[in-house]
Amino acid sequence: SRTISARPPALTLWARILCALPQARLLLHAHEGSHRRLTLQRLEHLGVDPLRVEFVGFVPVNDYFDLYRRLDVALDTFPFAGGTTSCDALWMGVPVVTLVGNTAVGRGGLSILSNIGLPELAARSAEDYLRIALDLAGDLPRLSALRSTLRSRMESSPLMDAPRFARDIET
């Protein structure tokens, strides 16, 4: 048996979420490779049944967006936050929980969520991230209401205001 020594902080926290939600599953977008096996080993070492983890590689764009129909909550990566994938999730009605980092690439999730009026989904600590994710998963009426507003929040946000963006660049 091999010892798993390195525990990336995101996997460690995701394992805690999965352990707290025994019916939850984790869907990871990752291309083929040995990193998938290592990820499963790390999660199993942290108490997660590998059968609860699914990997999806490259798929055509329509299939990619269809994957979001299978998600209830998106867990942002850290220390490097998602950008396009976070916007894709929100556009498809999937709330994103992010952990605010200390660098520009670690604060992208906060920026996106702030621009759509949901800074409360941006955690300031690992414990906060855990709490936000578990609260969302456990409050189905809130989750449903939130999901129904995400696309309109995106549409009315500065994130999708191209004329404003162009004016700001020109200025």
Side-chain angles (χ1 to χ4, degrees), residues 72-112:
D72 295 312
V73 176
L75 302 174
D76 201 0
T77 56
F78 57 89
F80 305 103
T84 304
T85 54
S86 294
C87 288
D88 291 346
L90 295 164
W91 180 254
M92 294 303 294
V94 180
V96 176
V97 178
T98 193
L99 179 61
V100 179
N102 296 323
T103 64
V105 294
R107 298 176 69 79
L110 171 63
S111 177
I112 292 166

Side-chain angles (χ1 to χ4, degrees), residues 17-167:
I17 292 167
L18 288 167
C19 289
L21 299 168
Q23 300 304 313
R25 297 179 42 80
L26 182 65
L27 180 73
L28 295 170
H29 189 133
H31 297 291
E32 297 286 337
S34 61
H35 55 278
R36 286 184 176 191
R37 181 182 41 75
L38 183 57
T39 298
L40 287 177
Q41 288 174 340
R42 287 174 170 158
L43 287 169
E44 186 173 28
H45 182 74
L46 294 166
V48 176
D49 182 344
L51 295 175
R52 295 175 60 199
V53 181
E54 179 182 349
F55 292 96
V56 176
F58 176 79
V59 294
V61 70
N62 287 341
D63 295 336
Y64 167 75
F65 282 108
D66 280 343
L67 287 171
Y68 284 99
R69 298 180 203 287
R70 297 177 50 200
L71 306 181
D72 295 312
V73 176
L75 302 174
D76 201 0
T77 56
F78 57 89
F80 305 103
T84 304
T85 54
S86 294
C87 288
D88 291 346
L90 295 164
W91 180 254
M92 294 303 294
V94 180
V96 176
V97 178
T98 193
L99 179 61
V100 179
N102 296 323
T103 64
V105 294
R107 298 176 69 79
L110 171 63
S111 177
I112 292 166
L113 291 170
S114 294
N115 273 286
I116 65 167
L118 291 171
E120 67 272 16
L121 297 182
R124 303 296 176 161
S125 68
E127 291 305 314
D128 205 22
Y129 185 101
L130 179 67
R131 180 192 53 76
I132 292 167
L134 293 177
D135 285 353
L136 264 179
D139 188 346
L140 296 183
R142 176 179 174 225
L143 185 58
S144 178
L146 182 58
R147 290 174 60 94
S148 71
T149 68
L150 289 175
R151 186 167 288 187
S152 62
R153 285 174 182 264
M154 287 287 291
E155 288 175 322
S156 63
S157 77
L159 298 172
M160 296 187 72
D161 188 346
R164 176 181 173 183
F165 180 76
R167 282 191 309 274

